[in-house]
Amino acid sequence: MRIILSATLAASIALPAYAQTRPDQQRFRTLYKELVETNTSLSAGSCTLAASRMAAHLKAAGYPDADLHPFSVPDHPKEGGLVAILPGSDPKAKAILLLGHLDVVEARREDWTRDPFTLVEENGYFYGRGTADMKAQVAAWVDAMVRYKEEGFKPRRSIKMALTCGEETSTAFNGAGWLATHERALIDAEFALNEGGGGRLDANGKPLILTVQAAEKFPQNYQLEVTNPGGHSSRPTPNNAIYHLAGGLMKISSYRFPFMANDITRAYFGKMGPQVGGEMGAAMTAFSKGNLSAAEKLSTDPSYNAFLHTTCIPTLLSAGHANNALPQRADANINCRIFPGTSVEDVRAKLKELVGDPEIKVTVSDTRSEVPKGPQPLTPAIFKPVEALAAKMWPGVPVVPFMSAGATDGAFLTPAGIPTYGVSGMFGDPDGNGAHGLNERLRVKSVYDGRDFLYQVVKIYAQQK
């Protein structure tokens, strides 16, 4: 008997943390794991496969084929997606749309501590490519749609869910853009809920603020290019394409675009100031009251700096054609995130002015979308459900409008007349959780809490009059 008890105890200790969670969370974790472990990177993965696997969950829950709409195009067979619909009871009430992208940024196993395409739960975190951006929220959308169907929930408004590909790569087939231009009626909605919002934790894991994204910066790539006749490397000359390019990049690196503000960023820092306290909190409060010089202090934090002004950084370099030849070509990609109100051409002209070298050609490349409309109107119908639910789940944590520094697929919906808001209820760490980088992760508690939040808040929206 003693041996049996010891073995039982050892087995319980060996169980992963999720085994101690609610049964419904265990089922959700299985779905989340399936999503993370379905590689959806552009180079080696398949969004179409991920979409079909999510469709299988919905079909098992009772969705008829008539309410499941897989889509793809012949030129991009692995970049397909899915639209699913839970019909509403009021034909006059416009639907709400749950938007989520399936694709993830590239990840190489040799660079990561853990396999990026295996969901690992360790030290209170879920690790894996897409755990934070944005498969936790996609899993929550699918999970909610399954639960609504199983419960027999009859929403007043139809609930639509669009799972798409191409958000992470500007040159890829973008499913959200395709739906907006080719199947606009299928995704027609009063508004859409998307990534981009969520919560911020302090260094100790304490919730500081919950955001609703209502605006975003515009991503734009620019190419710096130098061409040269080249020659033999044994006969070097000062006129070297790499020298020209390097000199231009150094000039760009030393420039900071002017600080800017709008109603959303002022409101954000106004709510954050009392939460953070100290010198940083005082700077936030000052900025919210119109003191742009306070941005000097705020800019020391990369997360805050990201939405204080336009930013431009080099992300790709290429030069030369042989190791014993003078380079005939050198080029670099400059990735800019443009503050609303500044044009794409304004930034290109500034980059050209900064490099100050006629040998360097500066051109616009890889335009992802139209400039998104914004800020989106933050009406009580959008904001109040988040505030009410947040007050129950995270008492004392303020809810505030937010402008995202990253780009979302909302840029394709707002020009099509569907206001889009970032709402997630998932709280992230100050360092960005490794999104787009190594060892991406999200706290286990944040995932489960966000899943509960989204399930409830969508129900509230779906019953609104």
Side-chain angles (χ1 to χ4, degrees), residues 135-441:
K135 288 185 174 179
Q137 188 163 352
V138 169
W141 287 152
V142 176
D143 171 78
M145 294 288 280
V146 166
R147 293 164 71 188
Y148 299 151
K149 192 70 172 182
E150 291 177 342
E151 294 166 1
F153 175 53
K154 303 295 184 183
R156 178 175 174 269
R157 299 171 179 266
S158 292
I159 303 174
K160 299 180 178 182
M161 178 183 69
L163 306 182
T164 63
C165 202
E167 195 271 352
E168 296 291 9
T169 308
S170 60
T171 56
F173 167 74
N174 186 278
W178 185 86
L179 289 170
T181 55
H182 290 75
E183 293 286 350
R184 174 66 176 75
L186 183 62
I187 60 168
D188 186 45
E190 185 78 17
F191 59 88
L193 304 179
N194 187 27
E195 64 172 339
R200 178 173 172 125
L201 303 168
D202 67 12
N204 298 313
K206 175 187 173 183
L208 291 176
I209 196 168
L210 183 64
T211 66
V212 176
Q213 183 205 337
E216 60 184 75
K217 294 170 78 176
F218 182 67
Q220 180 60 60
N221 289 312
Y222 298 86
Q223 184 181 41
L224 272 58
E225 182 182 25
V226 183
T227 57
N228 195 288
H232 202 286
S233 61
S234 65
R235 301 178 67 251
T237 68
N239 187 21
N240 184 300
I242 292 176
Y243 291 160
H244 282 286
L245 182 64
L249 292 175
M250 292 306 297
K251 291 173 184 176
I252 291 173
S253 74
S254 63
Y255 178 76
R256 183 179 68 191
F257 283 82
F259 293 127
M260 302 177 73
N262 57 29
D263 289 345
I264 290 180
T265 58
R266 283 190 289 267
Y268 174 82
F269 284 118
K271 290 287 185 73
M272 277 288 282
Q275 297 292 103
V276 172
E279 289 185 22
M280 187 65 80
M284 291 175 174
T285 300
F287 183 88
S288 72
K289 294 179 178 179
N291 182 0
L292 277 180
S293 65
E296 289 287 352
K297 175 65 177 178
L298 301 179
S299 67
T300 61
D301 182 301
S303 295
Y304 301 144
N305 178 63
F307 44 86
L308 289 170
H309 53 156
T310 294
T311 59
C312 291
I313 64 162
T315 54
L316 294 170
L317 287 170
S318 177
H321 60 284
N323 61 11
N324 60 352
L326 300 178
Q328 296 174 1
R329 181 182 300 273
D331 55 65
N333 185 79
I334 303 293
N335 181 259
C336 296
R337 305 294 170 131
I338 302 174
F339 198 96
T342 303
S343 74
V344 170
E345 176 54 28
D346 287 343
V347 175
R348 191 205 68 81
K350 188 62 185 182
L351 293 174
K352 182 65 177 175
E353 174 192 329
L354 289 172
V355 298
D357 185 342
E359 295 292 321
I360 303 177
K361 184 179 179 182
V362 182
T363 57
V364 175
S365 63
D366 298 342
T367 297
R368 179 174 179 267
S369 70
E370 297 179 45
V371 176
K373 294 182 179 180
Q376 302 301 296
L378 275 167
T379 63
I382 296 296
F383 212 65
K384 292 298 182 183
V386 177
E387 285 186 316
L389 188 53
K392 294 179 181 179
M393 294 185 68
W394 304 285
V397 175
V399 178
V400 63
F402 178 65
M403 183 184 77
S404 173
T408 77
D409 276 342
F412 296 95
L413 298 191
T414 57
I418 303 176
T420 304
Y421 302 90
V423 175
S424 83
M426 296 183 185
F427 283 75
D429 294 332
D431 66 0
N433 293 93
H436 289 208
L438 296 178
N439 305 313
E440 183 178 347
R441 72 197 188 284

